[in-house]
Amino acid sequence: MPKATVERLPLYLQCLQAIGDSETTVSSDALANVAGVNSANVRKDLSYLGSHGVRGVGYDRLELCAQLRRALGLTDKWPVVIVGVGNLGSALANYQGFDASGFNVIGLYDADPSKIGARVDGQRIKSMEDLELDIKKHEVQMAILTTPAGAAQEVADMLVSVGILSILNFAPALLKLPDTVKCRQVDLATELQILSYYQASRPT
Amino acid sequence: MPKATVERLPLYLQCLQAIGDSETTVSSDALANVAGVNSANVRKDLSYLGSHGVRGVGYDRLELCAQLRRALGLTDKWPVVIVGVGNLGSALANYQGFDASGFNVIGLYDADPSKIGARVDGQRIKSMEDLELDIKKHEVQMAILTTPAGAAQEVADMLVSVGILSILNFAPALLKLPDTVKCRQVDLATELQILSYYQASRPT
DNA sequence: TGGGCATCGTGATTCGTTTCACAAGCGCAC
DNA sequence: GTGCGCTTGTGAAACGAATCACGATGCCCA
């Protein structure tokens, strides 16, 4: 499946949920409008799912949701860990959408001894030693990294060494990882700078 | 300038800062290695800056930084507002990198009266009325949206109506905006779901 | 039961981006 | 000075993705 398609599937899922119960069926055109893409593009994307829409009618909303979830590997909940419970880590820990999205935060971890034991959204912050043990015990494969930039590489190395295979990195640092590990980078400064470019190059 | 190039410029800037003072000059190859892209790609990207590297030597590190900043429109600091001071908004308000990246948070705003007046990272949380006034007064063009999903569209409409032209949206909601307004979406669930796809489709 | 309408699925085309490959240019050493 | 090694800048080729265009197909209603 093309990379570009994979990156749109979550969008479709979100759009379908936004459309809600009112419609039992959705056309590629309707979905395209909500998602802001071309309808042929939607159809091509969905065709990778082996999805069978009905000509003249569209796609069954619920079935399409199910197919998207299946394609994205969201049939079971993925256990994830959050490493680094600063402001951002706390914010993510409080995020209520994990469950609905197919994930389950099994623990929060921090290197700072003074934070350990504190509670965030009902979960007790645990130590880095616990992190290693928990990852192995629960066979966790996905981690969210919200440490300071300086600590990110070191923590990432440790995560990889105990079996983590996917990292969502919020630390403003470029991680050097083995290419068996998939990483996605979310960077506030980068996003703002991209906006800045378009802002600056507006025809005034 | 190609979209793909624009989205890499901040990355180069970050890499150059990571390389630090040790080197006065950088080759496209060195930069490519750190950034994780092809060196021909780096050269082509930089050629859009009208940059003049020196054959046999490379690019002057500081000059290249300056050129990148100029191209990205980071010569002056952009004033930005943060709207919605929940966990995520607070986290962003505490982010120390704004200054270095070329931005200046001029205010934090929330619709919840009980939050108004509280301080986050030294800034007083202000009301939505103040938000409108401040945007007009300081001619703010960029906003960071960290409200709950339900309020995002309404707030965005207001922002647009008072002159905001770029929105960085962290709310898990798809904004309907006039196409004069540039928006970038950052969505935790989406990112995790993309990772989930690759995780699920690994050859076990 | 048949005709018309709506919509899908997909080959062909276009577009944008990445990569390759190499000539041109600069600097250093001898 | 002259030659050699390194690195840029860029045309050409390869690749991947978006869009177009249309045949195929199912549904609804007369």
Side-chain angles (χ1 to χ4, degrees):
Chain A
M1 177 135 46
K3 191 157 95 59
T5 294
V6 172
E7 301 191 349
R8 273 189 300 269
L9 297 186
L11 172 64
Y12 297 148
L13 198 49
Q14 191 181 346
C15 290
L16 288 176
Q17 277 148 8
I19 287 171
D21 301 335
S22 53
E23 307 291 338
T24 147
T25 198
V26 194
S27 73
S28 62
D29 217 42
L31 188 49
N33 281 332
V34 180
V37 299
N38 180 294
S39 68
N41 207 339
V42 171
R43 289 198 295 281
K44 193 155 283 189
D45 285 343
L46 297 186
S47 77
Y48 287 106
L49 308 180
S51 159
H52 278 269
V54 181
R55 290 165 200 245
V57 177
Y59 301 86
D60 183 84
R61 188 174 57 82
L62 292 175
E63 192 190 314
L64 185 52
C65 275
Q67 279 179 314
L68 285 167
R69 303 190 88 88
R70 209 174 312 130
L72 286 168
L74 301 173
T75 44
D76 296 318
K77 283 211 188 313
W78 292 98
V80 304
V81 290
I82 296 179
V83 189
V85 195
N87 288 293
L88 185 55
S90 307
L92 299 186
N94 278 290
Y95 175 58
Q96 299 305 311
F98 278 110
D99 241 50
S101 317
F103 303 91
N104 180 23
V105 178
I106 68 149
L108 314 176
Y109 306 86
D110 204 291
D112 180 351
S114 72
K115 285 186 185 161
I116 293 168
R119 285 185 174 276
V120 175
D121 194 40
Q123 296 219 32
R124 203 174 64 84
I125 298 175
K126 294 189 266 184
S127 72
M128 299 305 271
E129 289 73 36
D130 289 333
L131 172 57
E132 293 199 37
L133 295 174
D134 286 356
I135 288 175
K136 287 177 183 161
K137 185 165 136 206
H138 296 99
E139 294 183 342
V140 180
Q141 297 177 312
M142 303 180 66
I144 300 176
L145 200 53
T146 49
T147 62
Q153 182 65 59
E154 186 189 350
V155 172
D157 289 341
M158 185 274 271
L159 291 172
V160 170
S161 76
V162 293
I164 290 291
L165 292 169
S166 296
I167 296 177
L168 180 52
N169 181 28
F170 286 86
L174 298 153
L175 302 180
K176 204 83 184 167
L177 298 168
D179 49 11
T180 49
V181 177
K182 193 95 190 170
C183 177
R184 288 186 70 85
Q185 183 79 24
V186 176
D187 193 295
L188 174 65
T190 298
E191 296 298 327
L192 282 175
Q193 288 174 354
I194 293 169
L195 285 174
S196 164
Y197 171 84
Y198 291 109
Q199 190 66 49
S201 61
R202 272 174 196 278
T204 36
Chain B
M1 177 135 42
K3 192 157 94 59
T5 294
V6 172
E7 301 190 349
R8 272 190 300 269
L9 297 187
L11 172 63
Y12 298 149
L13 198 48
Q14 191 181 347
C15 290
L16 288 176
Q17 276 147 8
I19 287 171
D21 302 334
S22 53
E23 307 291 338
T24 147
T25 198
V26 194
S27 72
S28 62
D29 216 43
L31 189 49
N33 280 333
V34 180
V37 299
N38 181 294
S39 69
N41 207 340
V42 170
R43 288 198 296 279
K44 193 153 283 188
D45 285 342
L46 297 186
S47 76
Y48 288 106
L49 307 181
S51 159
H52 278 270
V54 181
R55 291 166 200 242
V57 177
Y59 301 86
D60 183 84
R61 189 174 57 82
L62 291 176
E63 193 191 313
L64 185 53
C65 275
Q67 279 178 315
L68 285 167
R69 302 190 88 89
R70 209 174 312 130
L72 286 168
L74 302 173
T75 45
D76 296 318
K77 283 211 188 311
W78 292 99
V80 304
V81 290
I82 296 179
V83 189
V85 194
N87 288 293
L88 185 55
S90 306
L92 298 186
N94 278 290
Y95 175 58
Q96 299 305 311
F98 278 111
D99 241 50
S101 318
F103 303 92
N104 180 23
V105 178
I106 67 147
L108 314 175
Y109 307 86
D110 204 291
D112 180 352
S114 72
K115 285 185 185 161
I116 293 168
R119 284 183 174 275
V120 174
D121 194 41
Q123 296 219 33
R124 204 175 63 84
I125 298 175
K126 295 189 265 185
S127 72
M128 298 305 272
E129 289 73 36
D130 290 332
L131 173 56
E132 293 199 38
L133 296 173
D134 286 355
I135 289 174
K136 287 177 182 160
K137 184 165 134 206
H138 297 99
E139 295 183 342
V140 180
Q141 298 177 310
M142 303 181 65
I144 299 176
L145 200 53
T146 48
T147 63
Q153 182 65 58
E154 187 189 349
V155 172
D157 288 342
M158 185 275 270
L159 291 172
V160 170
S161 76
V162 292
I164 290 291
L165 292 169
S166 296
I167 296 177
L168 180 53
N169 181 28
F170 285 86
L174 298 153
L175 302 180
K176 204 81 183 167
L177 298 168
D179 48 12
T180 49
V181 177
K182 193 96 191 169
C183 177
R184 288 187 70 85
Q185 184 79 23
V186 176
D187 194 294
L188 174 64
T190 298
E191 296 298 328
L192 282 174
Q193 288 174 354
I194 293 169
L195 285 174
S196 166
Y197 171 84
Y198 291 108
Q199 190 67 50
S201 61
R202 270 173 197 277
T204 39

